[in-house]
Amino acid sequence: MIVITAPVHEFLIKSLSERGYKLLYEPAITYEQLLDKVGEAEGLIVTTRLKIDKAILDRAVNLKWIGRLGSGLEQIDTAYAAGKNILCVSSPEGNRNAVAEHALGMLLSLMNNIPKAASEVKEGKWIRDRNRGIELTSKTVGLVGFGNTGQAFANLLHAFDVTILAYDRYKENFGSKLVREANMEHICRYADVISFHVPLTDETRNMAGADFFNSLTQKPFILNTSRGSVVETSALVNALKENKIAGAGLDVLENEKIDNLNELETGLLQYLLHKENVLVTPHIAGYSHESFLKMSQVILQKLGIN
């Protein structure tokens, strides 16, 4: 049996069914419910919604594989799974283009005051001078993380004749005529735009904290389409208040359960939402109609079920 714990494209359901798998499609299944049912599962399809920890894996006596729709495996105890010979695969190839296009859309919207100006027109205001934009062409863009989404974003940026600086702690010799390898110091010193494309690990948690923002010299735009906890919200708010950054585009937050925020989190989010140079979207960057299908195709291909 395959347990599907999130909404998936019908292609995935059809493909698994045609290959004789029994499916338990429970897109709203709770952790406790999964704990009860996972013992029967041969495969699991998951997103970031549920933690696949040792307790789940100990109950999963028949489990052979876990397929993660999207990028990042941080919600799965992959080391423990490997010890049980459980294959874990993700599908960043399926949504990398969607994430890259969303990041570019947020950046161009911020640089050209598009949400602000459009909102003013709806209010009957026709303001031109104060909405004068900034061109992306010829700017320096720093990419923190150069995996699937970082590379996809770089591919889109090439059309703008920008200088691309890329930092990836776990890669080397990836530079080219279009992308220059850099360290964080170089990015913080020279970049007009800094975009995060890293998984959430102990190393990247609060990567953009007070020290990061204090080291900036170009007053850059900050983009985060990776994981919310990569950027420390309080430090970002302070950077905005102290005019250290030009603006921010966030598709992710430290706490995305916005109906269950504490007082501090509520205050920080409200500050961001009322800033004209900040855009916040609800973790939809990798959630295009096309990627919804492609992630399923990639999972099946990696599992050899195609």
Side-chain angles (χ1 to χ4, degrees):
M1 181 176 72
I2 310 300
V3 180
I4 300 174
T5 69
V8 298
H9 195 279
E10 61 183 14
F11 172 82
L12 182 64
I13 295 173
K14 181 180 178 182
S15 297
L16 291 171
S17 297
E18 287 178 347
R19 285 154 182 77
Y21 289 101
K22 178 184 175 182
L23 304 182
L24 178 62
Y25 183 56
E26 294 282 355
I29 194 170
T30 66
Y31 176 90
E32 291 73 20
Q33 290 169 335
L34 180 60
L35 203 59
D36 288 338
K37 298 179 182 295
V38 75
E40 306 172 51
E42 175 184 345
L44 275 181
I45 298 293
V46 302
T47 58
T48 56
R49 193 174 64 83
L50 296 175
K51 202 82 171 166
I52 308 301
D53 56 14
K54 290 181 180 180
I56 292 283
L57 294 171
D58 281 339
R59 292 279 190 96
V61 293
N62 295 304
L63 194 62
K64 296 179 181 178
W65 54 261
I66 302 171
R68 153 78 164 106
L69 294 172
S71 61
L73 293 167
E74 65 267 20
Q75 88 284 12
I76 303 170
D77 191 334
T78 52
Y80 198 64
K84 291 178 171 291
N85 295 315
I86 298 170
L87 174 66
C88 298
V89 299
S90 60
S91 53
E93 301 88 349
N95 70 349
R96 60 189 174 192
N97 291 336
V99 175
E101 289 187 17
H102 191 92
L104 181 59
M106 294 185 92
L107 178 59
L108 294 176
S109 294
L110 287 167
M111 296 184 80
N112 292 283
N113 299 307
I114 292 173
K116 174 179 176 290
S119 178
E120 289 171 350
V121 173
K122 290 179 181 179
E123 296 172 359
K125 302 174 184 177
W126 194 265
I127 302 171
R128 299 185 66 208
D129 284 349
R130 291 204 303 273
N131 286 314
R132 195 184 297 272
I134 301 168
E135 292 184 14
L136 178 56
T137 302
S138 80
K139 299 296 189 294
T140 297
V141 180
L143 305 180
V144 182
F146 202 64
N148 278 284
T149 59
Q151 291 175 44
F153 193 31
N155 289 339
L156 293 181
L157 290 169
H158 291 162
F160 292 87
D161 192 27
V162 297
T163 298
I164 300 175
L165 305 178
Y167 165 74
D168 194 309
R169 180 170 180 174
Y170 298 99
K171 290 187 176 184
E172 57 183 19
N173 300 321
F174 61 82
S176 65
K177 291 181 179 179
L178 300 173
V179 177
R180 302 180 187 178
E181 289 183 56
N183 57 36
M184 284 298 291
E185 181 183 355
H186 292 146
I187 287 176
C188 291
R189 181 182 300 177
Y190 298 113
D192 302 295
V193 177
I194 300 177
S195 187
F196 289 90
H197 301 275
V198 293
L200 181 61
T201 66
D202 289 340
E203 293 174 330
T204 63
R205 188 179 299 276
N206 293 335
M207 187 180 206
D211 289 344
F212 166 80
F213 288 109
N214 288 336
S215 69
L216 302 176
T217 61
Q218 298 298 321
K219 194 179 173 183
F221 289 91
I222 302 297
L223 303 176
N224 187 16
T225 54
S226 59
R227 292 290 183 268
S229 294
V230 169
V231 175
E232 187 177 5
T233 310
S234 59
L236 174 70
V237 167
N238 287 336
L240 287 162
K241 289 179 177 178
E242 295 169 7
N243 208 30
K244 292 179 178 178
I245 60 176
L250 309 173
D251 183 56
V252 288
L253 296 172
E254 285 186 278
N255 185 355
E256 296 181 358
K257 298 177 180 178
I258 63 171
D259 56 348
N260 192 31
L261 302 180
N262 61 37
E263 185 177 352
L264 174 61
E265 291 169 333
T266 299
L268 293 172
L269 179 58
Q270 287 303 311
Y271 178 85
L272 293 174
L273 296 180
H274 287 87
K275 290 292 289 182
E276 293 178 336
N277 59 341
V278 175
L279 285 177
V280 180
T281 53
H283 205 149
I284 56 171
Y287 209 55
S288 69
H289 290 284
E290 292 83 358
S291 69
F292 196 47
L293 169 61
K294 287 190 287 186
M295 287 187 292
S296 292
Q297 293 172 327
V298 169
I299 285 290
L300 293 177
Q301 182 180 23
K302 288 185 175 181
L303 293 172
I305 307 173
N306 55 8

